[in-house]
Amino acid sequence: MIRFGVLGAGRIGKVHARTIASNPKAKLAYVADAMPKAAEDLAAMYGAKPATVDAIMAAKDVDAVLIGSPTGFHAEQIQAASNNGKAIMCEKPVSLSVEKIHETLKVVEKNKSTLMIGFNRRFDPHFAELESRLRKGAVGAIEIVTVISRDPAPPPADYVKGSGGLYRDMMIHDFDMARFLMGEEFVVVNALGSALVDKAIGEAGDVDTAAVQMQTASGRIAVITNSRRATYGYDQRMEVHGSKGMLAARNVHNTTVELHNAEGTLADPVQNFFLERYGQAYANELNTFITAVESGNRDPRPSGFDGLQAQKLADAATESWKTGKPVKVS
Ligand SMILES: NC(=O)c1ccc[n+]([C@@H]2O[C@H](COP(=O)([O-])OP(=O)(O)OC[C@H]3O[C@@H](n4cnc5c(N)ncnc54)[C@H](O)[C@@H]3O)[C@@H](O)[C@H]2O)c1
């Protein structure tokens, strides 16, 4: 039985608490939040106890921590959990600073801790199936990976100011998916970006519309496009084109019902945002972590290294957008 302490009882902490509580191999023991009432409410839903972050770190009856606090706390909480002998599942991103990720991974390595990073899209059943067929050779040698990711509506400009910018906050998931599908590291990144959706996002120093091209040492290419707005819902698609064909994963609609009439065909809207679209992915992700901890697998994926590589690509894209030049990635 893996006994969990959840750090952060916000949007994502609630999703993960539900999965922990519903897995027979796990137990939700404690919940901590900077706002005690939030911890109390979430703990009460599943018969857990509210506690402070420090108490969870020190607790002998906690085997694993789930870090769902705001990004700025992830690195220090990973380090504290590692130094206290806990297994760690941490939400993306590890940190907005590559330096800090290096420092954190050194601590994790020294303590031989189990660390998994919350790049949930790898666990989406559709994308996981695409990747599995890709690895079995369905399209031959990979030539171009295309990832399209559009949010239904932009966040408030205030959120954008503390987010690290679109490439680090939003496209980070797509950098991870592009690496996951390509199976080879990218060595150069070229980014374009504009504020076309909300002028306030541009005034806050960020973009809401972006396209990135990346290339591996062997010449394979990935193209990612992002928008902070899509009038038709949460647009999440990917394609891999190769020497023998093309694999594509399309959007998931609210239902499979379509209206056909003389004007054409009308499908239901696509699922609106991440909590609906990736509900199954979040559960699969955390259940994978629980199985890894239970079976003594100390290297579940996506790993801390995957977190580091995605962050490097996000930094390179940010620099490329600012300088107008392609940026090499080491
Ligand atoms: N993988 C995904 O798809 C996904 C989706 C949403 C959020 N996230 C990530 O999860 C993290 C949290 O995002 P959210 O949307 O749930 O935010 P949120 O604001 O809804 O929740 C964060 C919670 O953490 C609490 N908190 C603040 N400081 C804390 C601390 N030091 N220790 C413990 N708790 C603290 C806040 O009071 C709040 O209740 C972010 O890093 C975000 O990038 C990932």
Side-chain angles (χ1 to χ4, degrees), residues 86-298:
K86 317 289 187 215
I88 307 142
M89 164 74 208
C90 181
E91 263 309 332
K92 49 56 63 177
V94 179
S95 165
L96 295 178
S97 150
V98 163
E99 284 296 297
K100 216 168 210 172
I101 301 179
H102 276 299
E103 175 195 303
T104 302
L105 296 189
K106 269 190 201 147
V107 173
V108 168
E109 198 164 310
K110 183 190 77 187
N111 294 322
K112 299 193 170 24
S113 308
T114 300
L115 170 66
M116 186 169 140
I117 304 302
F119 286 122
N120 54 290
R121 293 182 194 180
R122 293 188 183 205
F123 298 90
D124 172 71
H126 312 280
F127 299 154
E129 176 65 20
L130 187 152
E131 195 266 346
S132 159
R133 293 197 205 178
L134 185 62
R135 297 281 96 87
K136 287 180 192 144
V139 299
I142 299 172
E143 291 164 1
I144 298 192
V145 170
T146 305
V147 182
I148 296 167
S149 180
R150 301 185 182 118
D151 286 353
D158 265 357
Y159 167 88
V160 161
K161 282 179 199 153
S163 71
L166 176 141
Y167 303 100
R168 296 186 181 100
D169 178 58
M170 178 176 173
M171 203 180 280
I172 189 92
H173 278 291
D174 308 307
F175 290 125
D176 182 66
M177 280 312 287
R179 286 186 64 247
F180 181 54
L181 296 177
M182 188 63 90
E184 185 186 349
E185 297 294 349
F186 296 101
V187 295
V188 66
V189 177
N190 189 38
L192 293 176
S194 304
L196 303 178
V197 175
D198 184 352
K199 260 196 344 219
I201 290 180
E203 283 157 13
D206 197 10
V207 300
D208 53 34
T209 308
V212 164
Q213 303 163 318
M214 307 191 288
Q215 199 164 30
T216 67
S218 69
R220 299 171 211 279
I221 291 169
V223 178
I224 301 173
T225 64
N226 276 185
S227 172
R228 289 283 198 185
R229 178 203 54 215
T231 54
Y232 46 90
Y234 193 36
D235 192 359
Q236 299 286 291
R237 289 173 286 151
M238 45 198 74
E239 282 182 5
V240 182
H241 182 257
S243 55
K244 290 189 188 161
M246 193 266 285
L247 277 164
R250 304 292 183 212
N251 279 318
V252 180
H253 295 252
N254 287 337
T255 77
T256 58
V257 176
E258 293 172 347
L259 168 68
H260 296 255
N261 62 23
E263 273 131 47
T265 300
L266 187 66
D268 267 9
V270 298
Q271 290 186 332
N272 186 57
F273 210 5
F274 64 94
L275 291 177
E276 301 94 315
R277 175 66 181 81
Y278 290 124
Q280 190 60 52
Y282 292 123
N284 293 352
E285 165 189 75
L286 194 46
N287 288 329
T288 299
F289 175 76
I290 291 167
T291 303
V293 176
E294 223 212 1
S295 64
N297 167 11
R298 290 188 175 272

Side-chain angles (χ1 to χ4, degrees), residues 2-16:
I2 311 301
R3 298 160 299 178
F4 272 86
V6 166
L7 315 183
R11 288 188 305 178
I12 207 71
K14 287 183 184 133
V15 172
H16 291 313

